[in-house]
Amino acid sequence: KAIEFNPDNSVKGFRLTGADGKPGPLVEADVYVSAMPVDIMKLMCPDPWRQMPFFSQLSELEGIPVINVHLWFDRKLTAPDSLVFSRSPLLSVYADMSSACKEYYSEERSMLELVFAPCSVAAGADRNWIAASDEDIVEATLKELERLFPLEIAADGSMAKLRKFAVVKTPRSVYAAIPGRNKFRPSQETPVGNFVLAGDYTSQKFLGSMEGAVLSGKLAAEVIADRAAGHPTQGVKAVHPSVASAESVVAA
Ligand SMILES: Cc1cc2nc3c(=O)[nH]c(=O)nc-3n(C[C@H](O)[C@H](O)[C@H](O)COP(=O)(O)OP(=O)(O)OC[C@H]3O[C@@H](n4cnc5c(N)ncnc54)[C@H](O)[C@@H]3O)c2cc1C
C-alpha cells in the first residue's frame, strides 16, 4: 500500500493493505526491494523521493498498452510448435498452445494465444483498441488470422469454429522503448541506502522483457550481496543532465 520512510529518507517499512482494504501491518527488513512495474513505482514513490532526480527520471519511462487474446478452436490448425513472430500489423506474436504448452496440449483442438499490439494510436495502431469491446478485438483478430491461415480460418466462421475466447487488456505493460529511453533507466542501486530496484525497466542490457526482468533481479541481488559482504558496488547510475536541468528550471 505504501513505502513508509524515516526522517533521513531511508525506508522504514512497507505498509501492506489489510484484507478489508485498510492499512495493514508494516513489514520491516534490513533491505527493501521493489520489483513493481515502473508506472506503479512512480505512484508509490514517497513524496520526498520525487524531488530526487534519480526517481524523477522515472517519468521518462511509460508503460504501453498490450492486449492478450486467447482463442479456442474446434479443430487442430497447422501452426508450428513454437512462438511465431507474425507478419500481421495487429498481431505481434502468437503460439498454438495446444502444441507449444504441456498444460494446453491437445491433438484435436488448437488454442491460440496472441499478443494484439500495437493497440494504441501513440504506439502506431489505427485506433485505441484498449477502449474497444472484446467482440471487436476478436473480430479484428480473426480477420488477421484469415490472412495467416487462409486454408483453415475464415473471419465469417465458415471454416474453423471458435468455441470460446478471452481478452486480457494490460493498459500499462512494458515501458515504451521509443528512441532515447535507455539513458533514463535507473540502476538497481538507488540513492536510498536500504532500497534497491528490480524490474525489466531498470538498467541492464535487455529491453523490457522476461530476460530483462530476470537479469535485473540478479543485479539487484548482487547489490545487496556486495553491500552485505562489504564489497564495492557498481554505484548509482548517473542521472541524465536533462532531468536535473529540467528540475532546476521548475525550481527557479
Ligand atoms: C501480453 C504480454 C505479452 C508479453 N510477451 C512477452 C514475450 O513473449 N517475451 C518477453 O520476454 N516478454 C513478454 N512480455 C513482457 C514481460 O511480461 C515483462 O517484461 C516481464 O513480465 C516484466 O517482469 P517484471 O518482473 O519487471 O514485472 P512484472 O512481471 O510486471 O511484475 C511486477 C509485479 O509487481 C506486482 N505489483 C504491482 N503493483 C504492486 C503493488 N502496489 N505492490 C506490490 N506488488 C505490486 C504485480 O502484481 C507483479 O507481480 C509480455 C507482456 C505482456 C503484457
PDB file of all heavy atoms in Angstrom, residues 98-132:
ATOM      1  N   SER A  98      -1.822 -25.502 -27.851  1.00  0.00           N
ATOM      2  CA  SER A  98      -2.140 -26.935 -27.827  1.00  0.00           C
ATOM      3  C   SER A  98      -0.941 -27.765 -28.290  1.00  0.00           C
ATOM      4  O   SER A  98      -0.905 -28.971 -28.089  1.00  0.00           O
ATOM      5  CB  SER A  98      -3.355 -27.234 -28.696  1.00  0.00           C
ATOM      6  OG  SER A  98      -3.026 -27.102 -30.065  1.00  0.00           O
ATOM      7  N   SER A  99       0.043 -27.116 -28.932  1.00  0.00           N
ATOM      8  CA  SER A  99       1.277 -27.804 -29.320  1.00  0.00           C
ATOM      9  C   SER A  99       2.448 -27.350 -28.464  1.00  0.00           C
ATOM     10  O   SER A  99       3.286 -28.151 -28.069  1.00  0.00           O
ATOM     11  CB  SER A  99       1.629 -27.514 -30.784  1.00  0.00           C
ATOM     12  OG  SER A  99       0.593 -27.904 -31.633  1.00  0.00           O
ATOM     13  N   ALA A 100       2.488 -26.041 -28.171  1.00  0.00           N
ATOM     14  CA  ALA A 100       3.682 -25.477 -27.539  1.00  0.00           C
ATOM     15  C   ALA A 100       3.696 -25.577 -26.023  1.00  0.00           C
ATOM     16  O   ALA A 100       4.733 -25.385 -25.401  1.00  0.00           O
ATOM     17  CB  ALA A 100       3.824 -24.015 -27.954  1.00  0.00           C
ATOM     18  N   CYS A 101       2.551 -25.886 -25.421  1.00  0.00           N
ATOM     19  CA  CYS A 101       2.481 -25.803 -23.956  1.00  0.00           C
ATOM     20  C   CYS A 101       1.801 -27.056 -23.388  1.00  0.00           C
ATOM     21  O   CYS A 101       0.674 -27.384 -23.783  1.00  0.00           O
ATOM     22  CB  CYS A 101       1.697 -24.543 -23.584  1.00  0.00           C
ATOM     23  SG  CYS A 101       1.580 -24.267 -21.839  1.00  0.00           S
ATOM     24  N   LYS A 102       2.508 -27.732 -22.499  1.00  0.00           N
ATOM     25  CA  LYS A 102       2.029 -29.008 -21.948  1.00  0.00           C
ATOM     26  C   LYS A 102       0.631 -28.887 -21.344  1.00  0.00           C
ATOM     27  O   LYS A 102      -0.225 -29.744 -21.544  1.00  0.00           O
ATOM     28  CB  LYS A 102       3.038 -29.459 -20.879  1.00  0.00           C
ATOM     29  CG  LYS A 102       2.870 -30.860 -20.396  1.00  0.00           C
ATOM     30  CD  LYS A 102       4.076 -31.304 -19.569  1.00  0.00           C
ATOM     31  CE  LYS A 102       4.166 -30.562 -18.264  1.00  0.00           C
ATOM     32  NZ  LYS A 102       5.261 -30.970 -17.398  1.00  0.00           N
ATOM     33  N   GLU A 103       0.403 -27.781 -20.621  1.00  0.00           N
ATOM     34  CA  GLU A 103      -0.875 -27.620 -19.896  1.00  0.00           C
ATOM     35  C   GLU A 103      -2.075 -27.527 -20.851  1.00  0.00           C
ATOM     36  O   GLU A 103      -3.200 -27.807 -20.479  1.00  0.00           O
ATOM     37  CB  GLU A 103      -0.834 -26.376 -19.005  1.00  0.00           C
ATOM     38  CG  GLU A 103      -0.012 -26.534 -17.737  1.00  0.00           C
ATOM     39  CD  GLU A 103       1.484 -26.457 -17.976  1.00  0.00           C
ATOM     40  OE1 GLU A 103       1.896 -26.158 -19.115  1.00  0.00           O
ATOM     41  OE2 GLU A 103       2.248 -26.726 -17.026  1.00  0.00           O
ATOM     42  N   TYR A 104      -1.851 -27.073 -22.086  1.00  0.00           N
ATOM     43  CA  TYR A 104      -2.942 -26.922 -23.056  1.00  0.00           C
ATOM     44  C   TYR A 104      -2.888 -28.004 -24.132  1.00  0.00           C
ATOM     45  O   TYR A 104      -3.623 -27.925 -25.114  1.00  0.00           O
ATOM     46  CB  TYR A 104      -2.852 -25.545 -23.747  1.00  0.00           C
ATOM     47  CG  TYR A 104      -3.177 -24.380 -22.851  1.00  0.00           C
ATOM     48  CD1 TYR A 104      -2.169 -23.651 -22.230  1.00  0.00           C
ATOM     49  CD2 TYR A 104      -4.494 -23.992 -22.632  1.00  0.00           C
ATOM     50  CE1 TYR A 104      -2.462 -22.577 -21.406  1.00  0.00           C
ATOM     51  CE2 TYR A 104      -4.794 -22.921 -21.808  1.00  0.00           C
ATOM     52  CZ  TYR A 104      -3.770 -22.214 -21.208  1.00  0.00           C
ATOM     53  OH  TYR A 104      -4.075 -21.156 -20.408  1.00  0.00           O
ATOM     54  N   TYR A 105      -2.048 -29.033 -23.952  1.00  0.00           N
ATOM     55  CA  TYR A 105      -1.776 -29.987 -25.031  1.00  0.00           C
ATOM     56  C   TYR A 105      -3.058 -30.669 -25.537  1.00  0.00           C
ATOM     57  O   TYR A 105      -3.890 -31.133 -24.757  1.00  0.00           O
ATOM     58  CB  TYR A 105      -0.778 -31.051 -24.554  1.00  0.00           C
ATOM     59  CG  TYR A 105      -0.408 -31.997 -25.676  1.00  0.00           C
ATOM     60  CD1 TYR A 105       0.469 -31.579 -26.666  1.00  0.00           C
ATOM     61  CD2 TYR A 105      -0.980 -33.265 -25.783  1.00  0.00           C
ATOM     62  CE1 TYR A 105       0.790 -32.408 -27.725  1.00  0.00           C
ATOM     63  CE2 TYR A 105      -0.667 -34.101 -26.839  1.00  0.00           C
ATOM     64  CZ  TYR A 105       0.212 -33.668 -27.811  1.00  0.00           C
ATOM     65  OH  TYR A 105       0.517 -34.483 -28.873  1.00  0.00           O
ATOM     66  N   SER A 106      -3.206 -30.671 -26.864  1.00  0.00           N
ATOM     67  CA  SER A 106      -4.329 -31.399 -27.471  1.00  0.00           C
ATOM     68  C   SER A 106      -3.949 -31.726 -28.915  1.00  0.00           C
ATOM     69  O   SER A 106      -3.378 -30.894 -29.616  1.00  0.00           O
ATOM     70  CB  SER A 106      -5.604 -30.549 -27.454  1.00  0.00           C
ATOM     71  OG  SER A 106      -6.579 -31.132 -28.296  1.00  0.00           O
ATOM     72  N   GLU A 107      -4.270 -32.944 -29.337  1.00  0.00           N
ATOM     73  CA  GLU A 107      -4.026 -33.301 -30.745  1.00  0.00           C
ATOM     74  C   GLU A 107      -5.248 -33.008 -31.591  1.00  0.00           C
ATOM     75  O   GLU A 107      -5.191 -33.070 -32.812  1.00  0.00           O
ATOM     76  CB  GLU A 107      -3.635 -34.779 -30.846  1.00  0.00           C
ATOM     77  CG  GLU A 107      -2.253 -35.000 -30.262  1.00  0.00           C
ATOM     78  CD  GLU A 107      -1.789 -36.436 -30.341  1.00  0.00           C
ATOM     79  OE1 GLU A 107      -2.491 -37.256 -30.938  1.00  0.00           O
ATOM     80  OE2 GLU A 107      -0.713 -36.712 -29.784  1.00  0.00           O
ATOM     81  N   GLU A 108      -6.376 -32.690 -30.956  1.00  0.00           N
ATOM     82  CA  GLU A 108      -7.627 -32.476 -31.695  1.00  0.00           C
ATOM     83  C   GLU A 108      -7.988 -31.014 -31.912  1.00  0.00           C
ATOM     84  O   GLU A 108      -8.545 -30.658 -32.944  1.00  0.00           O
ATOM     85  CB  GLU A 108      -8.808 -33.127 -30.947  1.00  0.00           C
ATOM     86  CG  GLU A 108      -8.960 -34.608 -31.192  1.00  0.00           C
ATOM     87  CD  GLU A 108      -8.162 -35.394 -30.188  1.00  0.00           C
ATOM     88  OE1 GLU A 108      -8.253 -35.057 -28.997  1.00  0.00           O
ATOM     89  OE2 GLU A 108      -7.420 -36.317 -30.573  1.00  0.00           O
ATOM     90  N   ARG A 109      -7.647 -30.156 -30.902  1.00  0.00           N
ATOM     91  CA  ARG A 109      -8.150 -28.784 -30.990  1.00  0.00           C
ATOM     92  C   ARG A 109      -7.053 -27.768 -30.629  1.00  0.00           C
ATOM     93  O   ARG A 109      -6.341 -27.968 -29.640  1.00  0.00           O
ATOM     94  CB  ARG A 109      -9.345 -28.606 -30.058  1.00  0.00           C
ATOM     95  CG  ARG A 109     -10.499 -29.526 -30.459  1.00  0.00           C
ATOM     96  CD  ARG A 109     -11.787 -29.163 -29.799  1.00  0.00           C
ATOM     97  NE  ARG A 109     -11.831 -29.464 -28.380  1.00  0.00           N
ATOM     98  CZ  ARG A 109     -12.958 -29.666 -27.720  1.00  0.00           C
ATOM     99  NH1 ARG A 109     -14.112 -29.620 -28.356  1.00  0.00           N
ATOM    100  NH2 ARG A 109     -12.945 -29.907 -26.438  1.00  0.00           N
ATOM    101  N   SER A 110      -6.965 -26.717 -31.419  1.00  0.00           N
ATOM    102  CA  SER A 110      -5.947 -25.685 -31.174  1.00  0.00           C
ATOM    103  C   SER A 110      -6.460 -24.620 -30.216  1.00  0.00           C
ATOM    104  O   SER A 110      -7.653 -24.308 -30.186  1.00  0.00           O
ATOM    105  CB  SER A 110      -5.546 -25.003 -32.485  1.00  0.00           C
ATOM    106  OG  SER A 110      -4.699 -25.837 -33.241  1.00  0.00           O
ATOM    107  N   MET A 111      -5.535 -24.080 -29.454  1.00  0.00           N
ATOM    108  CA  MET A 111      -5.820 -22.906 -28.622  1.00  0.00           C
ATOM    109  C   MET A 111      -4.723 -21.897 -28.938  1.00  0.00           C
ATOM    110  O   MET A 111      -3.556 -22.131 -28.624  1.00  0.00           O
ATOM    111  CB  MET A 111      -5.803 -23.296 -27.140  1.00  0.00           C
ATOM    112  CG  MET A 111      -6.244 -22.209 -26.192  1.00  0.00           C
ATOM    113  SD  MET A 111      -5.033 -20.927 -25.941  1.00  0.00           S
ATOM    114  CE  MET A 111      -5.411 -20.409 -24.307  1.00  0.00           C
ATOM    115  N   LEU A 112      -5.097 -20.811 -29.607  1.00  0.00           N
ATOM    116  CA  LEU A 112      -4.097 -19.791 -29.955  1.00  0.00           C
ATOM    117  C   LEU A 112      -4.055 -18.713 -28.880  1.00  0.00           C
ATOM    118  O   LEU A 112      -5.096 -18.248 -28.426  1.00  0.00           O
ATOM    119  CB  LEU A 112      -4.426 -19.123 -31.298  1.00  0.00           C
ATOM    120  CG  LEU A 112      -4.402 -19.973 -32.574  1.00  0.00           C
ATOM    121  CD1 LEU A 112      -4.547 -19.054 -33.800  1.00  0.00           C
ATOM    122  CD2 LEU A 112      -3.128 -20.800 -32.694  1.00  0.00           C
ATOM    123  N   GLU A 113      -2.839 -18.353 -28.487  1.00  0.00           N
ATOM    124  CA  GLU A 113      -2.655 -17.182 -27.616  1.00  0.00           C
ATOM    125  C   GLU A 113      -1.896 -16.161 -28.438  1.00  0.00           C
ATOM    126  O   GLU A 113      -0.832 -16.461 -28.983  1.00  0.00           O
ATOM    127  CB  GLU A 113      -1.845 -17.555 -26.375  1.00  0.00           C
ATOM    128  CG  GLU A 113      -2.699 -17.550 -25.126  1.00  0.00           C
ATOM    129  CD  GLU A 113      -1.889 -17.619 -23.851  1.00  0.00           C
ATOM    130  OE1 GLU A 113      -1.026 -16.770 -23.620  1.00  0.00           O
ATOM    131  OE2 GLU A 113      -2.145 -18.560 -23.093  1.00  0.00           O
ATOM    132  N   LEU A 114      -2.458 -14.958 -28.544  1.00  0.00           N
ATOM    133  CA  LEU A 114      -1.879 -13.938 -29.428  1.00  0.00           C
ATOM    134  C   LEU A 114      -1.651 -12.634 -28.676  1.00  0.00           C
ATOM    135  O   LEU A 114      -2.462 -12.249 -27.829  1.00  0.00           O
ATOM    136  CB  LEU A 114      -2.826 -13.662 -30.602  1.00  0.00           C
ATOM    137  CG  LEU A 114      -3.332 -14.896 -31.355  1.00  0.00           C
ATOM    138  CD1 LEU A 114      -4.785 -15.165 -31.005  1.00  0.00           C
ATOM    139  CD2 LEU A 114      -3.189 -14.718 -32.843  1.00  0.00           C
ATOM    140  N   VAL A 115      -0.551 -11.973 -28.986  1.00  0.00           N
ATOM    141  CA  VAL A 115      -0.318 -10.632 -28.451  1.00  0.00           C
ATOM    142  C   VAL A 115      -0.816  -9.643 -29.498  1.00  0.00           C
ATOM    143  O   VAL A 115      -0.302  -9.596 -30.610  1.00  0.00           O
ATOM    144  CB  VAL A 115       1.168 -10.394 -28.123  1.00  0.00           C
ATOM    145  CG1 VAL A 115       1.384  -8.947 -27.672  1.00  0.00           C
ATOM    146  CG2 VAL A 115       1.630 -11.358 -27.041  1.00  0.00           C
ATOM    147  N   PHE A 116      -1.855  -8.916 -29.123  1.00  0.00           N
ATOM    148  CA  PHE A 116      -2.506  -7.929 -30.003  1.00  0.00           C
ATOM    149  C   PHE A 116      -1.829  -6.585 -29.730  1.00  0.00           C
ATOM    150  O   PHE A 116      -2.101  -5.933 -28.715  1.00  0.00           O
ATOM    151  CB  PHE A 116      -3.992  -7.907 -29.651  1.00  0.00           C
ATOM    152  CG  PHE A 116      -4.871  -7.133 -30.586  1.00  0.00           C
ATOM    153  CD1 PHE A 116      -5.715  -7.787 -31.466  1.00  0.00           C
ATOM    154  CD2 PHE A 116      -4.883  -5.750 -30.570  1.00  0.00           C
ATOM    155  CE1 PHE A 116      -6.555  -7.074 -32.312  1.00  0.00           C
ATOM    156  CE2 PHE A 116      -5.713  -5.032 -31.416  1.00  0.00           C
ATOM    157  CZ  PHE A 116      -6.555  -5.701 -32.288  1.00  0.00           C
ATOM    158  N   ALA A 117      -0.899  -6.203 -30.583  1.00  0.00           N
ATOM    159  CA  ALA A 117      -0.156  -4.947 -30.385  1.00  0.00           C
ATOM    160  C   ALA A 117       0.484  -4.545 -31.717  1.00  0.00           C
ATOM    161  O   ALA A 117       0.847  -5.430 -32.501  1.00  0.00           O
ATOM    162  CB  ALA A 117       0.922  -5.130 -29.324  1.00  0.00           C
ATOM    163  N   PRO A 118       0.642  -3.274 -32.002  1.00  0.00           N
ATOM    164  CA  PRO A 118       0.320  -2.144 -31.141  1.00  0.00           C
ATOM    165  C   PRO A 118      -1.194  -1.937 -31.028  1.00  0.00           C
ATOM    166  O   PRO A 118      -1.922  -2.215 -31.966  1.00  0.00           O
ATOM    167  CB  PRO A 118       0.984  -0.966 -31.857  1.00  0.00           C
ATOM    168  CG  PRO A 118       1.028  -1.370 -33.306  1.00  0.00           C
ATOM    169  CD  PRO A 118       1.194  -2.860 -33.302  1.00  0.00           C
ATOM    170  N   CYS A 119      -1.622  -1.449 -29.854  1.00  0.00           N
ATOM    171  CA  CYS A 119      -3.063  -1.272 -29.683  1.00  0.00           C
ATOM    172  C   CYS A 119      -3.414   0.146 -29.220  1.00  0.00           C
ATOM    173  O   CYS A 119      -4.525   0.375 -28.760  1.00  0.00           O
ATOM    174  CB  CYS A 119      -3.633  -2.341 -28.766  1.00  0.00           C
ATOM    175  SG  CYS A 119      -2.858  -2.454 -27.185  1.00  0.00           S
ATOM    176  N   SER A 120      -2.475   1.082 -29.336  1.00  0.00           N
ATOM    177  CA  SER A 120      -2.830   2.490 -29.091  1.00  0.00           C
ATOM    178  C   SER A 120      -2.309   3.304 -30.271  1.00  0.00           C
ATOM    179  O   SER A 120      -1.352   2.894 -30.937  1.00  0.00           O
ATOM    180  CB  SER A 120      -2.206   2.998 -27.789  1.00  0.00           C
ATOM    181  OG  SER A 120      -0.807   3.075 -27.929  1.00  0.00           O
ATOM    182  N   VAL A 121      -2.930   4.456 -30.502  1.00  0.00           N
ATOM    183  CA  VAL A 121      -2.517   5.304 -31.625  1.00  0.00           C
ATOM    184  C   VAL A 121      -1.062   5.737 -31.426  1.00  0.00           C
ATOM    185  O   VAL A 121      -0.248   5.728 -32.357  1.00  0.00           O
ATOM    186  CB  VAL A 121      -3.474   6.520 -31.751  1.00  0.00           C
ATOM    187  CG1 VAL A 121      -3.000   7.467 -32.842  1.00  0.00           C
ATOM    188  CG2 VAL A 121      -4.894   6.028 -32.043  1.00  0.00           C
ATOM    189  N   ALA A 122      -0.694   6.064 -30.160  1.00  0.00           N
ATOM    190  CA  ALA A 122       0.683   6.510 -29.876  1.00  0.00           C
ATOM    191  C   ALA A 122       1.696   5.433 -30.250  1.00  0.00           C
ATOM    192  O   ALA A 122       2.811   5.737 -30.661  1.00  0.00           O
ATOM    193  CB  ALA A 122       0.813   6.866 -28.399  1.00  0.00           C
ATOM    194  N   ALA A 123       1.284   4.171 -30.113  1.00  0.00           N
ATOM    195  CA  ALA A 123       2.218   3.073 -30.398  1.00  0.00           C
ATOM    196  C   ALA A 123       2.158   2.647 -31.873  1.00  0.00           C
ATOM    197  O   ALA A 123       2.851   1.716 -32.266  1.00  0.00           O
ATOM    198  CB  ALA A 123       1.928   1.890 -29.475  1.00  0.00           C
ATOM    199  N   GLY A 124       1.279   3.302 -32.666  1.00  0.00           N
ATOM    200  CA  GLY A 124       1.254   3.002 -34.096  1.00  0.00           C
ATOM    201  C   GLY A 124       0.005   2.289 -34.581  1.00  0.00           C
ATOM    202  O   GLY A 124      -0.068   1.925 -35.761  1.00  0.00           O
ATOM    203  N   ALA A 125      -0.987   2.087 -33.716  1.00  0.00           N
ATOM    204  CA  ALA A 125      -2.224   1.418 -34.147  1.00  0.00           C
ATOM    205  C   ALA A 125      -3.156   2.421 -34.827  1.00  0.00           C
ATOM    206  O   ALA A 125      -2.995   3.637 -34.679  1.00  0.00           O
ATOM    207  CB  ALA A 125      -2.926   0.790 -32.951  1.00  0.00           C
ATOM    208  N   ASP A 126      -4.136   1.893 -35.565  1.00  0.00           N
ATOM    209  CA  ASP A 126      -5.059   2.782 -36.272  1.00  0.00           C
ATOM    210  C   ASP A 126      -6.162   3.315 -35.348  1.00  0.00           C
ATOM    211  O   ASP A 126      -6.878   4.235 -35.696  1.00  0.00           O
ATOM    212  CB  ASP A 126      -5.685   2.043 -37.472  1.00  0.00           C
ATOM    213  CG  ASP A 126      -6.414   0.774 -37.045  1.00  0.00           C
ATOM    214  OD1 ASP A 126      -6.209   0.332 -35.887  1.00  0.00           O
ATOM    215  OD2 ASP A 126      -7.175   0.212 -37.850  1.00  0.00           O
ATOM    216  N   ARG A 127      -6.321   2.719 -34.167  1.00  0.00           N
ATOM    217  CA  ARG A 127      -7.327   3.208 -33.212  1.00  0.00           C
ATOM    218  C   ARG A 127      -6.930   2.773 -31.800  1.00  0.00           C
ATOM    219  O   ARG A 127      -6.003   1.981 -31.634  1.00  0.00           O
ATOM    220  CB  ARG A 127      -8.729   2.659 -33.547  1.00  0.00           C
ATOM    221  CG  ARG A 127      -8.812   1.147 -33.501  1.00  0.00           C
ATOM    222  CD  ARG A 127     -10.172   0.621 -33.877  1.00  0.00           C
ATOM    223  NE  ARG A 127     -11.092   0.626 -32.750  1.00  0.00           N
ATOM    224  CZ  ARG A 127     -12.242  -0.048 -32.733  1.00  0.00           C
ATOM    225  NH1 ARG A 127     -12.613  -0.734 -33.796  1.00  0.00           N
ATOM    226  NH2 ARG A 127     -13.019  -0.031 -31.679  1.00  0.00           N
ATOM    227  N   ASN A 128      -7.670   3.279 -30.814  1.00  0.00           N
ATOM    228  CA  ASN A 128      -7.390   2.908 -29.431  1.00  0.00           C
ATOM    229  C   ASN A 128      -8.106   1.589 -29.128  1.00  0.00           C
ATOM    230  O   ASN A 128      -9.263   1.574 -28.707  1.00  0.00           O
ATOM    231  CB  ASN A 128      -7.865   4.019 -28.487  1.00  0.00           C
ATOM    232  CG  ASN A 128      -7.657   3.636 -27.034  1.00  0.00           C
ATOM    233  OD1 ASN A 128      -6.934   2.675 -26.735  1.00  0.00           O
ATOM    234  ND2 ASN A 128      -8.290   4.375 -26.134  1.00  0.00           N
ATOM    235  N   TRP A 129      -7.389   0.478 -29.338  1.00  0.00           N
ATOM    236  CA  TRP A 129      -8.015  -0.824 -29.169  1.00  0.00           C
ATOM    237  C   TRP A 129      -8.310  -1.154 -27.713  1.00  0.00           C
ATOM    238  O   TRP A 129      -9.176  -1.984 -27.413  1.00  0.00           O
ATOM    239  CB  TRP A 129      -7.126  -1.914 -29.784  1.00  0.00           C
ATOM    240  CG  TRP A 129      -7.193  -1.924 -31.283  1.00  0.00           C
ATOM    241  CD1 TRP A 129      -6.292  -1.392 -32.150  1.00  0.00           C
ATOM    242  CD2 TRP A 129      -8.252  -2.471 -32.096  1.00  0.00           C
ATOM    243  NE1 TRP A 129      -6.704  -1.570 -33.449  1.00  0.00           N
ATOM    244  CE2 TRP A 129      -7.899  -2.230 -33.443  1.00  0.00           C
ATOM    245  CE3 TRP A 129      -9.443  -3.135 -31.808  1.00  0.00           C
ATOM    246  CZ2 TRP A 129      -8.707  -2.646 -34.504  1.00  0.00           C
ATOM    247  CZ3 TRP A 129     -10.251  -3.537 -32.868  1.00  0.00           C
ATOM    248  CH2 TRP A 129      -9.874  -3.288 -34.190  1.00  0.00           C
ATOM    249  N   ILE A 130      -7.628  -0.516 -26.771  1.00  0.00           N
ATOM    250  CA  ILE A 130      -7.892  -0.783 -25.350  1.00  0.00           C
ATOM    251  C   ILE A 130      -9.342  -0.414 -25.011  1.00  0.00           C
ATOM    252  O   ILE A 130      -9.984  -1.050 -24.176  1.00  0.00           O
ATOM    253  CB  ILE A 130      -6.896   0.017 -24.459  1.00  0.00           C
ATOM    254  CG1 ILE A 130      -5.509  -0.645 -24.488  1.00  0.00           C
ATOM    255  CG2 ILE A 130      -7.402   0.153 -23.032  1.00  0.00           C
ATOM    256  CD1 ILE A 130      -5.341  -1.887 -23.638  1.00  0.00           C
ATOM    257  N   ALA A 131      -9.852   0.607 -25.695  1.00  0.00           N
ATOM    258  CA  ALA A 131     -11.232   1.042 -25.418  1.00  0.00           C
ATOM    259  C   ALA A 131     -12.254   0.210 -26.197  1.00  0.00           C
ATOM    260  O   ALA A 131     -13.462   0.344 -25.980  1.00  0.00           O
ATOM    261  CB  ALA A 131     -11.377   2.519 -25.775  1.00  0.00           C
ATOM    262  N   ALA A 132     -11.789  -0.636 -27.128  1.00  0.00           N
ATOM    263  CA  ALA A 132     -12.730  -1.413 -27.952  1.00  0.00           C
ATOM    264  C   ALA A 132     -13.348  -2.561 -27.151  1.00  0.00           C
ATOM    265  O   ALA A 132     -12.778  -3.010 -26.143  1.00  0.00           O
ATOM    266  CB  ALA A 132     -11.981  -1.963 -29.171  1.00  0.00           C
TER     267      ALA A 132
END
